[in-house]
Amino acid sequence: MRRTAGSCLPALCAGLLAGCIASNVVATEDRAVLRPVAELPFVAAPELVLDGLYESIEITGDAALALRRIYYLFRPDGTYTAAALTEGERGAAFQTLSGTWTNTAAGLSLDGADPVRLERADEHLRITAANGAVVLRRSAAP
Amino acid sequence: MTRTLLQWLGVAFVLGLVGLAAFALTVVKDRVRIVVQADAASTGPEPVVLLRDDLGVVARDLAELRSALGANLERLGNALEERAVARHADVQALARELAAVRQRLDAQAASLQRAEQQLLPRPEAAATAATEPAPVVAPPAPVAAEAAPAKTGGFLSFSLPATTFAFDREQRYQLVPELCRVGFDAKSTLHDFSGVTSQVAGQFTADFDDPEGAWRGEVTCEAGSLVTGVDGRDANMREYLATTEHPQIRFEIQRFVPAAGGVDVARQTARGEIEGRMQIRGVTRDLRMPVSVEVDASRRVVVSGQAPLKLSDYQVPVPSQLGVINMQDDVVIWISLRARVQVGDRK
């Protein structure tokens, strides 16, 4: 009887310890790497005066097939300059462009094109076009 | 006689003239001075002064010409620069137009290919047709329009390279390491735990609608980067996995076996089992892993799955502390991968 109790003692201790140490198994739903962009409280931003440097943190839609990163530098005088890192048949390449922007109740218009939806959440902007959307985060001034 | 007299008179006259000349010369020799001087009309300023004036005029002309030439050259330079800028803008506009034309052509080519695929009978359909009588009414063409290759175009003033994504066509996919995570779940006497790493790389080729499931590719992870949340346990794990000698855990993808009705082209989802060869600690074994496939909003393929595995099959020592705290030989390995179409290497 004493031998049995002695052999059970380590197991008993282990059992007690197990009760004190929480499991740290990654739950199945937490295995994926997620970005909390979807939780940002975006609201429409009509007539918002754009000003500052923005960097994309998420691109969705068909545009995401070739777009890897976008940078916009908006100026409050209605001009902007931008760069996009794209990936095509010939590999990755930057595109740069400069132009004008207007933001009205109809949406954001770049270079006089049809307006697209512009939304804002804190330091983030979301621009939604026909073939994709981009979420931009304000960056430190260059 | 007369004639001789006349000759003598002639000679005497000549001698007389000579004598008279000699006499005259001796008389006026010292009284005559010959002076050579310019004409009175040609008197004026010194030639050197004139030459200096001329040089001054020429110098002024040269200075005027030089200034005029400089101004003209400057105007020419400005004009050339303006033309270069204009041409650069023209070239950029042409490049954009070319990119747009190319995208339209790619779209047309994709549409043509889809049309050809819909017109041509599939192999299994052809085989069925060969063994069975032809139906009176042809079955409807497979509906894959919504899942057809998506085409990119311009986006927010940028012109994008033509890239397509097709769930039902063979394409090569590249893992996006920052969005991938693999790991294992283990059980021990004290508590259960997971080992996780995001240092994942790899690529694979797949047609998710291919009934033969001819997938191929490889996924690797850095064994030494697995972490469990306990430093001491991580050090032991690296020792057990012999990460110095075998730094990578590899999985070679050989085939995808779709589950019955597991492929939904319209919704771009698939379920089935991946068959391949898993290599841990340098030991390679066959492995089948049930997986699910879907496409996220960024047109990335999301592959998730898990499979049981015995550490002893891969000669990984099963950890045990003092014979009391034991880890089980059975673990569950899991993957959560995101991959994007590898541009420029479409099949």
Side-chain angles (χ1 to χ4, degrees):
Chain A
M1 182 69 183
R2 197 176 283 176
R3 286 181 65 185
T4 306
S7 62
C8 288
L9 189 59
L12 185 61
C13 291
L16 288 172
L17 280 173
C20 298
I21 302 175
S23 167
N24 68 346
V25 173
V26 176
T28 307
E29 61 271 20
D30 293 334
R31 290 173 178 173
V33 179
L34 295 177
R35 293 178 175 177
V37 172
E39 299 172 4
L40 290 171
F42 282 105
V43 293
E47 300 176 4
L48 171 69
V49 177
L50 298 175
D51 183 14
L53 177 65
Y54 288 85
E55 176 184 0
S56 67
I57 57 173
E58 184 180 79
I59 303 170
T60 56
D62 291 341
L65 287 169
L67 264 178
R68 297 289 171 264
R69 195 67 59 91
I70 307 179
Y71 300 89
Y72 277 102
L73 177 59
F74 292 107
R75 302 184 192 93
D77 63 357
T79 63
Y80 77 94
T81 184
L85 179 63
T86 63
E87 192 171 357
E89 297 281 347
R90 296 178 181 174
F94 266 108
Q95 272 184 51
T96 59
L97 53 85
S98 298
T100 59
W101 64 268
T102 56
N103 184 29
T104 63
L108 174 68
S109 173
L110 297 177
D111 307 314
D114 291 339
V116 294
R117 195 167 74 216
L118 172 67
E119 296 164 295
R120 174 188 192 180
D122 298 329
E123 295 297 300
H124 297 80
L125 298 175
R126 182 164 65 190
I127 305 172
T128 306
N131 60 340
V134 58
V135 176
L136 304 164
R137 180 178 56 203
R138 181 189 283 274
S139 296
Chain B
M1 185 65 178
T2 304
R3 187 175 178 184
T4 304
L5 183 61
L6 285 175
Q7 285 177 346
W8 278 109
L9 281 175
V11 170
F13 180 74
V14 171
L15 287 173
L17 283 177
V18 171
L20 185 63
F23 173 75
L25 184 62
T26 54
V27 170
V28 301
K29 177 177 68 174
D30 297 329
R31 297 183 182 177
V32 173
R33 188 178 58 169
I34 298 173
V35 176
V36 177
Q37 62 181 17
D39 294 339
S42 62
T43 58
E46 290 286 331
V48 176
V49 176
L50 287 175
L51 186 60
R52 191 172 295 155
D53 286 343
D54 291 342
L55 281 175
V57 171
V58 170
R60 280 194 299 276
D61 292 345
L62 276 176
E64 289 175 1
L65 282 173
R66 188 171 59 187
S67 63
L69 189 62
N72 285 332
L73 283 175
E74 189 177 350
R75 280 198 292 273
L76 181 64
N78 291 337
L80 286 174
E81 190 174 352
E82 287 173 1
R83 291 193 65 181
V85 170
R87 287 193 174 184
H88 181 66
D90 291 344
V91 167
Q92 283 188 327
L94 277 174
R96 283 195 292 272
E97 286 179 15
L98 278 174
V101 169
R102 187 174 176 184
Q103 287 167 7
R104 284 199 294 271
L105 282 174
D106 283 348
Q108 294 295 333
S111 300
L112 189 62
Q113 190 171 8
R114 286 199 303 275
E116 287 176 348
Q117 286 174 352
Q118 288 177 355
L119 286 174
L120 291 175
R122 296 195 167 206
E124 65 271 21
T128 306
T131 55
E132 295 179 4
V136 177
V137 180
V143 179
E146 294 302 321
K151 189 187 84 62
T152 60
F155 181 71
L156 302 180
S157 292
F158 291 106
S159 61
L160 303 183
T163 307
T164 56
F165 171 76
F167 192 79
D168 55 351
R169 195 152 51 91
E170 185 177 287
Q171 288 186 296
R172 177 171 289 187
Y173 296 89
Q174 185 82 34
L175 295 187
V176 184
E178 61 268 25
L179 296 177
C180 292
R181 189 184 284 169
V182 301
F184 66 87
D185 296 340
K187 293 180 183 297
S188 75
T189 310
L190 276 183
H191 72 149
D192 302 340
F193 63 95
S194 294
V196 178
T197 180
S198 286
Q199 293 193 24
V200 186
Q203 45 77 32
F204 60 92
T205 302
D207 172 357
F208 300 108
D209 192 30
D210 179 11
E212 299 298 322
W215 292 20
R216 56 193 179 278
E218 186 179 65
V219 177
T220 63
C221 79
E222 299 301 318
S225 66
L226 283 163
V227 291
T228 64
V230 178
D231 292 342
R233 184 164 60 198
D234 293 346
N236 290 336
M237 180 172 59
R238 286 191 283 272
E239 183 181 339
Y240 292 134
L241 290 174
T243 56
T244 305
E245 296 83 6
H246 307 287
Q248 288 187 326
I249 296 173
R250 296 173 178 275
F251 182 63
E252 179 193 356
I253 301 169
Q254 295 177 322
R255 187 165 175 255
F256 174 68
V257 182
V263 178
D264 188 335
V265 176
R267 299 179 65 179
Q268 297 188 328
T269 59
R271 288 182 296 104
E273 282 190 339
I274 291 179
E275 293 180 355
R277 302 272 290 168
M278 173 67 88
Q279 185 186 73
I280 302 174
R281 210 175 187 264
V283 178
T284 305
R285 295 279 184 270
D286 290 337
L287 183 76
R288 291 170 67 98
M289 177 184 287
V291 296
S292 64
V293 179
E294 58 188 35
V295 179
D296 71 6
S298 296
R299 303 295 185 265
R300 291 181 296 243
V301 170
V302 182
V303 183
S304 309
Q306 64 178 38
L309 178 149
K310 282 186 182 297
L311 295 176
S312 55
D313 287 345
Y314 295 87
Q315 299 175 10
V316 177
V318 179
S320 175
Q321 300 292 330
L322 305 173
V324 176
I325 304 171
N326 300 313
M327 182 179 158
Q328 292 184 10
D329 187 27
D330 294 299
V331 299
V332 172
I333 60 167
W334 50 263
I335 59 172
S336 177
L337 308 175
R338 283 177 199 256
R340 63 164 62 102
V341 174
Q342 191 171 336
V343 184
D345 198 7
R346 284 171 290 163
K347 298 289 183 179

